[in-house]
Amino acid sequence: TREPICPVRYISNRSSGKMGYALAEAALNAGARTTLISGPVHLEPPSGATLLQVETTEEMLAASQAAAETADIFIGAAAVVDFKPTSVSDTKIKREGVATTTLDLVPNPDIIASIANSSPRPALVVGFAAETNDVETYAREKLRGKSLDFIFANDVSNTAIGFDSEYNAGVLISAESETPMQVSSKRVLAETIIEALSKQLS
């Protein structure tokens, strides 16, 4: 997602969206009716998916809540911006004559926790934990703290499988199991994740 600062600047992160798009394609190939809620990315959506394009975290939350009402599985793979400016300038912020500036931020809503604690709730709510250290520890904390059924944990400090890479690896964690997934293309990894979730759902 993106959070505007002024008409020409915004806060975002380094995610390409490739993992989320691969998951949508894998779900379609598995026979699922699939809604892809996407922030601004430079990717071609898989044919057959219902595409909902959003920009801010608030917009993604609203789209997610609406889609989750009829979903069996909700996968939160988006790299959501955790904070947003307390105010947005109506005009471009100029640098001339400014030695320093301060940007005040407030937390954005927690989309995946909101879906996991909603009623009615999808049968499976799956989160992603993109971490740079203590990856599995933080992932388990998120699994419990956000009331998730599964979480996929990966180490984005590894540039070979981090942001914008064609590859990924990690571990799919639930309260009862841990399934390590070795380095593979995001497409293959997505198929493995969807297969595991389908088995759990059935």
Side-chain angles (χ1 to χ4, degrees), residues 58-88:
E58 292 276 4
E59 292 170 351
M60 184 170 281
L61 173 63
S64 297
Q65 289 173 329
E69 290 180 358
T70 56
D72 297 304
I73 302 175
F74 182 92
I75 304 175
V80 178
V81 178
D82 292 327
F83 298 91
K84 62 182 177 182
T86 55
S87 62
V88 180

Side-chain angles (χ1 to χ4, degrees), residues 71-186:
D72 297 304
I73 302 175
F74 182 92
I75 304 175
V80 178
V81 178
D82 292 327
F83 298 91
K84 62 182 177 182
T86 55
S87 62
V88 180
S89 175
D90 293 330
T91 58
K92 178 182 177 181
I93 300 171
K94 301 289 188 179
R95 71 173 181 177
E96 286 78 10
V98 177
T100 62
T101 187
T102 300
L103 185 63
D104 293 320
L105 304 173
V106 292
N108 259 323
D110 190 325
I111 296 175
I112 195 71
S114 174
I115 300 303
N117 290 280
S118 63
S119 181
R121 176 193 191 276
L124 294 179
V125 179
V126 184
F128 268 61
E131 303 291 349
T132 57
N133 62 291
D134 299 324
V135 176
E136 292 187 26
T137 299
Y138 286 130
R140 292 189 189 93
E141 290 176 359
K142 289 181 178 180
L143 180 79
R144 293 188 297 268
K146 299 177 188 288
S147 302
L148 306 179
D149 300 293
F150 285 90
I151 192 163
F152 182 81
N154 65 310
D155 184 354
V156 293
S157 69
N158 182 346
T159 56
I161 60 171
F163 292 124
D164 209 33
S165 172
E166 298 295 334
Y167 299 91
N168 204 351
V171 56
L172 185 64
I173 301 171
S174 72
E176 296 82 25
S177 65
E178 292 185 11
T179 306
M181 298 185 181
Q182 302 304 313
V183 175
S184 62
S185 70
K186 288 181 177 178

